[in-house]
Amino acid sequence: MKLSCLQENLSRGLGVVGRAVASRTTLPITQNVYLATDQSMLKLSATNLEIAMTTWVGAMVEDEGAITVPARLLSEFVNSLPSERIDIELQPGSGVLQLRCGRTEANINGADAGEFPPIPTVDEGVAASVETATLKEAIARVAFAAATEESRPVLTGVEIKLEGDRFSMAAADGFRLAVHHGSLREPVDSETKVIVPARVLNELNRLLGDQTDPVEIMMTPAKGQVLFRTQGSQTVETVSQLLQGTFPNYEQLIPQSYQTRAVFDLPSLLRATRTAAIFARDGSNIIRMETQPAENGEAPGKVIISARSEEVGDNQDEVEAESLDGVEGKIAFNSRYLLDVLSVLERGRVTIETASSSSPGVFRPTDSEDYIHVVMPMFVQW
Amino acid sequence: MPIKVLPPDLAIKIAAGEVIERPASVVKELLENSLDAGASSVAVEIKGGGSGETRVTDDGRGIPSFEVSTAFLRHATSKLNASEDLNAVATLGFRGEALPSIAAVSRLSLTTRTPDSEMGYGIDLEWGQIIREGSRGSPPGTTVRVSNLFENLPARRKFLRTPGTETGRIHDLVTRFALGFPSVRFRLTSDGRVLLSTTGSGTLREALLAVYGVEVAEGMLDIYGEDPERTYQVEGVVSPPHIHRSNRSYMSLFVNRRWIQSRALSFALEESYHGLLPVKRYPVAAINISIPYADVDVNSHPAKREVRFHHEGTIFSTLQRAVRAALIADSPVPPIQPPPGSRFDGSSSAYHPSSFFPRSAFTGASRDYPGGPVDAAATTQPAPSLKVVGQVKATYIVAEGPDGMYLVDQHAAHERVLFDRIKQQSAPARPGELLLEPITVELTPGQAEVMQEKANMLCQYGFAIEPFGDNSYLLRAVPVVMTGQDPAQALLTVLDLVALENLSNTQEDVLAASIACHSAIRAGKTLTNDEMIALLDQLEATANPHTCPHGRPTMLHFSAAHMEQEFGRT
């Protein structure tokens, strides 16, 4: 193997695939990065066996070849080099990768490329294409609601469904449910459902950064794999194992009716919730919400948000509703769940629907039907 | 109903119930027959915990073909002749009940050949009725295959435990035989997996090696003793004081090689270790007592588990003297035990931390486990403010305090923090987190009992549970501290933990402690520096930071002065 490439390209490529390098592992070779010539490119791959990432770096290839070397060592070395041309050479049979950049020279002992776990290829299946911004919003609004403990593996994933020219993502951890709908760039032929680990989607979200090119998705439920291909300044392929199992039938968990429906200015409600969370922290994270319709038709009504802790003290806040219909109601939520949903909605207005103090609360952005978030209340003494 | 004599098939079923209680009884009876037949190698194969199939193969004397069908008549035995023989039983079996009893409640197939006959003989029975018999090819010895056990006694079959439990009982039983008969080669396989395999070399130590592993086998001390008239001999091995176990099941006592259970002899053995073992720890032992057959009555119980001695006091003291002598010969000064209550309980390794750190170096409010939750007011000493240094074995936090080094058990510490938090929340109603979808939980009868007894209290702690028919329940909510876990598993664990504690203990602390214990971070979890700092801060704020709710210490202290002394700086 003999090739040359630019330091900044190699450094960026190693940075990308470095996310998939195993940190603690029983299979030491997964701490390596795989380097191989691929036509006139240098192909870089890494995997921790759950997720595999591959990217390509422009290069002048003289001789073909492949090797794996410790990812962290190579990455740190390349980052320390000046922004110049790097010559890379592997003497056949030596197992030592030689790098030269200006007057700097290094030899890194590698391991045979044949020992590297095969990087899964996804070349057939259902292909779809999504705008990066759409995908990023969907991941941000859904992935946090997935479970973090592993006792029910499907709940650590996000269900992605493709149907016609729409997609939906859903996650639930047993106490809350987030569902987001978005548009595909082109319709898909067949309806497809898969469960992708939430961790992988969060990693993908970070990778997408602020790039604008659409993301291609390729699903092969039969092989249990999904591939995300992002174009941007360089092509990156992320392949993940799918989670096997049946995702809960969440449609039936979304309440169809309500007793009280209130619309709030999100920043005001978020501020009041954050304040209450400070006091809830030392209790059991309980935030109480008391919705009160206006008495004589002047203002629409308000919600009283309060928290108290036996030891620390208590606080209370009032937020005026922009509109409120229905009866007065009391409901308590875990401050963490409340803050999570209000934080991802961020701006604009939020509609909250409740039925009783023991039925789920439904949160959605007022101006869109795309997102729905269901949070189970806590049962507390009032 | 008029009084009448029961038909024979019903009578034998009733009688069989006394002898054959569970699959392990089948194995016991067949093993005894094999050993009485002078076998030098016995293989026991079981499937499905013995209720699927049990096969016992030996290389003993075999049964002459003309006697085979007689063996299945009640009270038919080759081991006794006249009633005087009953006064001095030399064989393990003698009642003539085993084979007909097993045959009455199973499908049984027996193949046998005596060494001097050319052809073997086989017989098949179903529920006690002979369905076929005749000559069969067979190696010397006897093979008995029992299947469909208790299928004609549904009531008995219902009371069988899980295959795992039944396998455990059989394993325990074969283990005892292996220790009682070191010169016989035993092999136990369950569903094709070898559970036990002894060499049959005749040395007890090799049998111990197969049963308890190399550490125990190597460490054991030989004992021998006899009474002044030399009528009784006590022989076997006992563990040195540094090898001990948490229950009595590692003490095996044999009388004339028959495994027996005797409270008096167990007590005699434990007494010999008086002052040498930590509280509630028991020795490992395998001891055979040889007694003239006339001095012991084994006919007091159909399964022959309990025996009566004519001179119990003499046997008692002979045993104690023999054990004491061996212990004293081994070590005039017993090795220093780690202080009970310290987390260094692994013992048996050469490294005894206590020999480096005298007891005074340990703080920690309560050294002996009181066994139950400690009253929060018991200790009022505040926690020192600690600076995190690092983590050891992903289990202990190393911290620097005002006077030296502290080791904090992360699980115990977190347990204390959660316990205090749960207790702080105002009873009667602590908040619960409702589940998006209720979960159906199947409870064992034991768990269901705890559940009914503690229903109100579980509810007060944040569980919401509704009956859902039989032993099924719908779980609708879990305590807030448990939201990070599998809700069904959380409930089951709490029920089990509460069941382990004294059920009659109505203190709600038991429940709080169980919830705290299950929710606390585990040993083996790597913590970040911030997490460790937060945990120590929270621990400091608790009312009783030095012990966990179960009474174990949360921290150990190694004083600066002591470290200096150990390093020879003073």
Side-chain angles (χ1 to χ4, degrees):
Chain A
M1 183 165 91
K2 191 170 181 191
L3 60 102
S4 322
C5 62
L6 289 178
Q7 184 269 345
E8 53 184 274
N9 291 348
L10 183 57
S11 168
R12 194 166 55 224
L14 289 171
V16 168
V17 299
R19 298 175 185 282
V21 173
S23 47
R24 263 172 302 199
T25 175
T26 49
L27 191 61
I29 198 154
T30 54
Q31 291 178 326
N32 283 10
V33 60
Y34 172 91
L35 296 90
T37 52
D38 187 359
Q39 290 161 353
S40 64
M41 306 281 258
L42 172 64
K43 177 178 165 184
L44 304 172
S45 295
T47 180
N48 57 17
L49 302 181
E50 179 187 64
I51 180 171
M53 292 177 103
T54 303
T55 189
W56 288 264
V57 175
M60 293 257 303
V61 177
E62 282 182 45
D63 286 323
E64 304 205 331
I67 191 173
T68 79
V69 292
R72 210 171 133 204
L73 179 68
L74 179 64
S75 180
E76 285 180 7
F77 171 67
V78 170
N79 288 345
S80 73
L81 295 175
S83 179
E84 284 171 29
R85 195 187 72 182
I86 304 180
D87 297 317
I88 300 174
E89 192 172 353
L90 171 70
Q91 295 289 347
S94 68
V96 177
L97 192 69
Q98 294 180 336
L99 298 107
R100 266 188 304 276
C101 178
R103 294 177 169 218
T104 314
E105 207 180 307
N107 297 308
I108 298 178
N109 294 334
D112 187 48
E115 289 171 30
F116 203 69
I119 300 295
T121 52
V122 180
D123 35 26
E124 54 186 20
V126 180
S129 175
V130 192
E131 293 297 344
T132 297
T134 312
L135 186 63
K136 279 179 68 81
E137 182 181 51
I139 295 173
R141 284 179 164 190
V142 171
F144 70 90
T148 47
E149 48 98 23
E150 301 279 339
S151 62
R152 287 166 300 167
V154 287
L155 295 189
T156 62
V158 172
E159 188 196 67
I160 305 181
K161 188 161 80 178
L162 307 180
E163 191 179 4
D165 61 351
R166 303 281 285 168
F167 76 92
S168 67
M169 279 195 189
D173 67 359
F175 302 100
R176 53 185 168 167
L177 164 72
V179 185
H180 183 83
H181 299 277
S183 297
L184 299 172
R185 292 178 73 230
E186 285 152 22
V188 292
D189 316 332
S190 55
E191 186 187 321
T192 312
K193 262 199 293 197
V194 295
I195 308 171
V196 182
R199 264 198 305 272
V200 171
L201 291 180
N202 287 328
E203 203 56 69
L204 180 69
N205 208 11
R206 239 167 276 148
L207 178 72
L208 291 173
D210 46 8
Q211 70 177 55
T212 50
D213 293 308
V215 178
E216 285 172 51
I217 306 174
M218 183 90 87
M219 292 176 177
T220 39
K223 278 169 75 181
Q225 282 161 355
V226 60
L227 175 145
F228 300 92
R229 184 181 291 120
T230 62
Q231 303 294 348
S233 52
Q234 62 190 127
T235 300
V236 180
E237 286 185 0
T238 306
V239 180
S240 163
Q241 301 292 336
L242 296 176
L243 293 172
Q244 302 302 320
T246 313
F247 200 77
N249 179 7
Y250 56 82
E251 297 291 345
Q252 66 186 30
L253 300 176
I254 301 172
Q256 299 303 317
S257 61
Y258 60 86
Q259 293 292 316
T260 312
R261 175 187 201 142
V263 176
F264 298 99
D265 173 51
L266 237 169
S268 320
L269 189 66
L270 186 54
R271 189 199 51 76
T273 308
R274 285 204 173 116
T275 314
I278 300 169
F279 284 84
R281 201 160 51 203
D282 285 313
S284 288
N285 295 334
I286 306 165
I287 292 188
R288 292 171 162 82
M289 296 176 92
E290 240 175 296
T291 316
Q292 295 180 344
E295 296 199 350
N296 41 21
E298 288 170 5
K302 65 187 178 190
V303 63
I304 300 171
I305 295 180
S306 64
R308 62 167 178 263
S309 148
E310 305 273 316
E311 298 233 313
V312 179
D314 57 52
N315 91 315
Q316 182 169 323
D317 219 322
E318 283 183 18
V319 180
E320 287 293 332
E322 298 198 351
S323 78
L324 198 159
D325 64 85
V327 296
E328 62 175 14
K330 288 174 172 179
I331 194 163
F333 289 112
N334 188 318
S335 60
R336 191 162 64 86
Y337 298 160
L338 205 52
L339 279 179
D340 278 351
V341 55
L342 296 179
S343 308
V344 296
L345 291 173
E346 239 172 351
R347 288 180 297 274
R349 289 174 301 156
V350 60
T351 305
I352 303 178
E353 295 169 0
T354 52
S356 75
S357 58
S358 60
S359 333
V362 180
F363 296 72
R364 44 178 131 224
T366 303
D367 54 355
S368 147
E369 291 289 311
D370 284 348
Y371 185 63
I372 188 159
H373 192 99
V374 180
V375 182
M376 288 307 289
M378 301 169 88
F379 68 81
V380 299
Q381 273 202 317
W382 286 85
Chain B
M1 272 202 292
I3 297 177
K4 60 190 176 201
V5 175
L6 292 174
D9 62 320
L10 183 53
I12 183 127
K13 268 198 209 175
I14 293 171
E18 278 181 54
V19 183
I20 307 301
E21 262 186 303
R22 50 176 9 102
S25 334
V26 174
V27 175
K28 172 178 174 293
E29 297 298 335
L30 296 178
L31 275 178
E32 288 187 349
N33 281 346
S34 295
L35 294 167
D36 283 343
S40 62
S41 168
V42 188
V44 181
E45 294 157 72
I46 56 169
K47 285 181 187 153
S51 41
E53 184 183 309
T54 303
R55 186 203 300 261
V56 176
T57 309
D58 68 52
D59 60 353
R61 275 190 292 279
I63 310 172
S65 56
F66 56 89
E67 283 181 14
V68 168
S69 53
T70 318
F72 287 92
L73 297 177
R74 284 200 75 188
H75 311 301
T77 182
S78 60
K79 302 171 188 177
L80 285 185
N81 284 317
S83 82
E84 294 80 63
D85 290 358
L86 198 54
N87 298 333
V89 177
T91 49
L92 293 173
F94 56 85
R95 295 167 67 105
E97 285 182 326
L99 280 179
S101 295
I102 299 171
V105 294
S106 69
R107 288 171 202 270
L108 187 149
S109 156
L110 180 145
T111 315
T112 183
R113 177 158 81 86
T114 53
D116 48 352
S117 62
E118 299 206 331
M119 204 44 196
Y121 195 82
I123 185 167
D124 294 337
L125 297 95
E126 274 183 13
W127 323 127
Q129 302 301 315
I130 297 173
I131 54 170
R132 76 180 77 80
E133 59 180 314
S135 296
R136 269 178 218 176
S138 160
T142 307
T143 299
V144 181
R145 181 173 160 271
V146 175
S147 60
N148 305 68
L149 187 65
F150 298 140
E151 214 162 86
N152 59 341
L153 283 182
R156 178 60 55 92
R157 198 168 173 93
K158 230 172 21 196
F159 279 95
L160 292 185
R161 300 297 187 82
T162 60
T165 313
E166 296 295 346
T167 307
R169 285 175 191 268
I170 294 171
H171 181 241
D172 184 47
L173 182 82
V174 179
T175 300
R176 311 287 182 164
F177 274 102
L179 294 177
F181 292 84
S183 56
V184 177
R185 199 162 77 213
F186 286 90
R187 188 180 166 85
L188 171 65
T189 51
S190 166
D191 297 316
R193 215 157 45 88
V194 179
L195 297 184
L196 178 74
S197 172
T198 65
T199 58
S201 67
T203 51
L204 183 54
R205 230 166 257 273
E206 281 197 26
L208 281 166
L209 182 69
V211 172
Y212 294 133
V214 65
E215 187 210 337
V216 171
E218 275 183 358
M220 295 293 266
L221 311 172
D222 290 306
I223 63 163
Y224 180 82
E226 52 192 9
D227 71 310
E229 283 88 47
R230 301 197 159 193
T231 38
Y232 311 118
Q233 282 90 38
V234 175
E235 199 174 356
V237 292
V238 296
S239 56
H242 68 89
I243 297 178
H244 42 74
R245 295 291 180 264
S246 63
N247 61 55
R248 291 188 175 87
S249 67
Y250 295 85
M251 307 182 340
S252 306
L253 292 170
F254 305 88
V255 169
N256 297 334
R257 309 225 161 263
R258 179 196 304 281
W259 175 42
I260 55 137
Q261 288 185 330
S262 158
R263 259 163 204 257
L265 287 182
S266 297
F267 181 71
L269 179 56
E270 285 166 40
E271 273 296 288
S272 316
Y273 282 85
H274 186 81
L276 297 178
L277 295 184
V279 186
K280 290 199 177 162
R281 303 292 290 184
Y282 304 94
V284 183
I287 300 171
N288 181 46
I289 304 167
S290 307
I291 303 179
Y293 295 120
D295 278 8
V296 55
D297 177 8
V298 289
N299 195 17
S300 62
H301 185 259
K304 313 180 195 90
R305 290 286 285 283
E306 284 156 27
V307 298
R308 292 193 206 134
F309 302 108
H310 287 195
H311 306 287
E312 197 164 52
T314 320
I315 297 168
F316 193 105
S317 55
T318 311
L319 173 71
Q320 274 201 340
R321 264 202 316 276
V323 177
R324 268 283 170 190
L327 290 176
I328 290 166
D330 170 56
S331 60
V333 183
I336 301 160
Q337 288 298 315
S342 85
R343 298 298 284 163
F344 299 112
D345 226 344
S347 74
S348 78
S349 68
Y351 174 69
H352 284 295
S354 56
S355 53
F356 296 102
F357 302 103
R359 278 172 182 235
S360 58
F362 292 89
T363 61
S366 111
R367 280 214 194 82
D368 44 346
Y369 298 58
V374 178
D375 182 23
T379 338
T380 46
Q381 203 183 356
S385 67
L386 301 175
K387 191 180 109 224
V388 171
V389 177
Q391 198 185 16
V392 182
K393 283 187 79 178
T395 302
Y396 309 106
I397 299 170
V398 183
E400 188 177 352
D403 177 36
M405 180 180 79
Y406 290 79
L407 273 182
V408 179
D409 180 326
Q410 63 191 39
H411 174 75
H414 197 214
E415 213 177 324
R416 164 55 67 189
V417 169
L418 290 178
F419 179 78
D420 275 33
R421 194 180 296 165
I422 294 166
K423 295 287 290 174
Q424 247 175 42
Q425 291 158 0
S426 50
R430 293 172 178 82
E433 192 85 48
L434 284 159
L435 291 162
L436 206 47
E437 246 184 325
I439 296 175
T440 318
V441 189
E442 293 287 333
L443 300 185
T444 64
Q447 290 166 332
E449 196 188 323
V450 179
M451 169 85 134
Q452 275 150 15
E453 205 158 315
K454 303 272 175 188
N456 278 335
M457 220 175 272
L458 284 165
C459 172
Q460 285 170 18
Y461 275 93
F463 282 106
I465 308 157
E466 292 167 15
F468 197 56
D470 291 339
N471 282 335
S472 300
Y473 288 82
L474 269 191
L475 178 59
R476 291 196 174 274
V478 294
V480 177
V481 291
M482 300 189 109
T483 49
Q485 301 148 55
D486 180 3
Q489 206 49 52
L491 174 65
L492 295 181
T493 313
V494 166
L495 289 177
D496 284 344
L497 286 172
V498 173
L500 266 185
E501 305 281 339
N502 193 354
L503 247 185
S504 63
N505 186 348
T506 49
Q507 280 186 27
E508 58 175 41
D509 281 10
V510 176
L511 200 58
S514 302
I515 293 174
C517 178
H518 185 60
S519 311
I521 48 167
R522 304 295 149 87
K525 185 179 190 304
T526 313
L527 300 180
T528 65
N529 216 37
D530 289 343
E531 284 173 316
M532 290 190 276
I533 292 170
L535 178 58
L536 292 187
D537 283 350
Q538 290 169 352
L539 181 65
E540 217 176 303
T542 60
N544 186 9
H546 291 285
T547 57
C548 86
H550 296 97
R552 289 189 294 270
T554 55
M555 58 176 78
L556 300 177
H557 176 211
F558 304 95
S559 72
H562 187 74
M563 287 193 279
E564 275 166 17
Q565 191 186 334
E566 287 294 325
F567 282 112
R569 286 179 162 271
T570 47

